[in-house]
Amino acid sequence: ATSPAPQGPAPTFRSGVDSVSVDAIVTDKQGRPVTDLKPEDFEIRESGKAQAIENFRLVQIDDGRNNPSAAREILSQADQQRETESENNRLLVIFLDDYHTRLGNSLAFRQKLSQFVYQLAPNDLVALITPLMPASTLTFSRNHEATASQIMNFIGRKYDYRPRNALEERYAQETPQQIERLRNAWVIEGLRGVCEYMGSFRAGRKTLLYVSEGLTNNMPPGVLTTGTDFPTMPMAGPDPTMREQSQQYFDSVELISDLQRVFNAATRTNTSIYPIDPRGLTPTEFSVADVVSTAMDKQILNQTTELLRTIADQTDGRAIVNRNDPLPALQQMIKDNTTYYLMSFTSTFAYRDGKFHEFQVRVKRPGVEVRARRGYWAVSAEEMAKASAP
């Protein structure tokens, strides 16, 4: 592959509270990137009103395979800051959600993931993180062999409640249902923290690969657990009662509401989340050791899978689910971060309600397909007050 032509200095993207950053992936009917568009070829509309494009740039990243010696090693925080700010590098953070991955699935999946990472290009910067790791400790690396080796230590702990740190020890006496909710909260906070931290890097597109079997607030009776003094609850009836159905619905709504903080942070920092399900193509969520009804098994499987799709849909990523071979989808994820248009506009509505506001990105040229975010999260009055405080 040939290196792209020099593009000159990158524009300085505005960072005002009403400034919205948009990255758009434009392809032809064969899926090839379209690279000759101009600002006037795009149209951004919010609530039916056209928005003026203030900054515009075509980002094309050379993977560095033709000149691997030019890729500098990262030996210090200063090196990391310099390399993460450069648009010549793709940024990938892999979030290993051990709380929501079964042991057997993690052992099978980590081999595939490590092989993918090992084959990445010199200009790919990769960092690993787990739910309780502070985002500020992220360490990006070009040493893909070392990163792949670290991935091989990934061990799923789904329904295994044996404490491994002081925080888990503090809540070790809680019921499995309470621990599951705590784990959900820790993961959501971890995802939000990573997305916000990614905002300290450049304005361009960043990627968070979220390895998880999905979250749910509904832990059914009969699940076999490890590391708890509470006995396994007997299996419920084959069909949940109306009260149980109502509670499950509200639990799901609550989980989506909690995830809004993640969607908010990802939108503001131009971070796309690609959830990948290590279960692969499976007809069931629970094993033969779990005494869970078939109806509940199917329900939980559908809930967790749809949640992964929702996370991708809300952050302009792609959900990699129901796939025994994830490599083609992972390669597409890399392509999404190789050629795209980076734009920004200042909303004429200047919302201060902390809510999600949709906009539409359209390309006037016929015969092309555009993928872009569906909207942005406006700042709230509380966030404005915090930003202006001493």
Side-chain angles (χ1 to χ4, degrees), residues 99 132 157 161-174 179 186:
Y99 285 149
L132 298 184
R157 303 171 55 200
Y161 303 125
R162 288 172 290 186
R164 297 188 181 179
N165 54 62
L167 181 63
E168 294 173 357
E169 188 73 43
R170 186 188 310 171
Y171 298 101
Q173 302 305 314
E174 303 289 348
I179 295 177
W186 294 336

Side-chain angles (χ1 to χ4, degrees), residues 18-36:
D18 300 316
S19 182
V20 181
S21 180
V22 184
D23 59 85
I25 301 169
V26 185
T27 55
D28 60 18
K29 292 182 179 180
Q30 286 72 42
R32 298 171 299 196
V34 177
T35 60
D36 61 342

